[in-house]
Amino acid sequence: MTSPQDPGNPANTDPEATSAEAAEAAAAEAASADGAVDDATANTAEAEAAVEDAARDITDEAAAGEETVAENSLEAQLAERTEDLQRLNAEYTNYRRRTERDRQAVIETTKAKVLADFLPILDDMELARQHGDLNEGPLKAIADKLSGVLTSNQLTPFGAEGDAFDPEVHEAVQDLSTGDEQVIGTVLRRGYTVGERVVRTAMVIIADPAESADTAESPDSSDNAE
């Protein structure tokens, strides 16, 4: 068998040897390509996993933030409602007290007005007592019962001889006093109160205190003794 004179010429190359080398080269390239694809696929999977983890973390953080915001919002709403309830309760308490105070004032005013209508009857009874008409008998019993009912409703007389004169509750028709200290000398009409409310002033005559009168009489007594 004669060797070719130009062994490097592709035409003189063994086709079977050439095909094998080409196949090996192609296989190597394919393997390299497969490895690159595998690496790329692995990198892509890792990247996708990292993205998913990051997305999950962001979602968790967002959910936690929303939960915190929701809790803060609920606490704020609860505090606001509590404050509104406390303010409403205070307003209702003040309203109830004010209503009760006004109701008591109306009751006291009405009662004082009704009891004041009995004062002329009490004046007549006082005159009858001074004349001895109420010492005994049915009229005395009626007068005592009426006085008891009026007293039980806090109708109280004031203005007695010897009491200090008070222009706020005593109506003076005559002043017989000579000094700065003034007392009631004569009661012309008794005054009355219902509780702390004055329903009628007392009509009086002003005089000097009894002690002053006794002091003024003492020199005459001593002169007479001498």
Side-chain angles (χ1 to χ4, degrees), residues 25-178:
E29 291 179 359
S32 177
D34 290 340
V37 171
D38 292 339
D39 293 339
T41 302
N43 293 334
T44 302
E46 292 178 358
E48 291 178 353
V51 170
E52 290 179 358
D53 292 340
R56 188 180 303 106
D57 293 339
I58 294 174
T59 302
D60 293 341
E61 292 178 358
E66 291 177 357
E67 184 177 356
T68 302
V69 172
E71 290 178 355
N72 294 336
S73 178
L74 289 176
E75 291 178 357
Q77 292 180 7
L78 179 59
E80 183 179 356
R81 296 298 182 269
T82 302
E83 184 178 355
D84 293 341
L85 181 60
Q86 292 175 348
R87 181 171 58 253
L88 181 61
N89 185 48
E91 291 177 356
Y92 174 72
T93 301
N94 293 333
Y95 168 77
R96 186 176 59 184
R97 291 176 179 173
R98 184 171 59 253
T99 302
E100 180 64 20
R101 184 172 60 250
D102 294 343
R103 187 179 70 86
Q104 289 296 329
V106 171
I107 292 175
E108 294 295 332
T109 301
T110 304
K111 183 169 70 173
K113 182 178 180 180
V114 171
L115 294 177
D117 293 337
F118 286 89
L119 298 185
I121 300 176
L122 293 179
D123 293 339
D124 294 340
M125 290 172 53
E126 182 63 24
L127 291 176
R129 182 177 290 105
Q130 293 175 3
H131 288 84
D133 296 336
L134 297 181
N135 293 334
E136 58 182 358
L139 187 58
K140 179 180 182 302
I142 294 175
D144 292 342
K145 289 181 180 179
L146 179 60
S147 297
V149 171
L150 298 179
T151 301
S152 65
N153 284 278
Q154 297 181 325
L155 182 66
T156 306
F158 69 90
E161 295 181 2
D163 291 347
F165 174 73
D166 184 356
E168 295 292 333
V169 296
H170 299 144
E171 180 182 351
V173 297
Q174 190 175 3
D175 186 0
L176 301 179
S177 63
T178 58

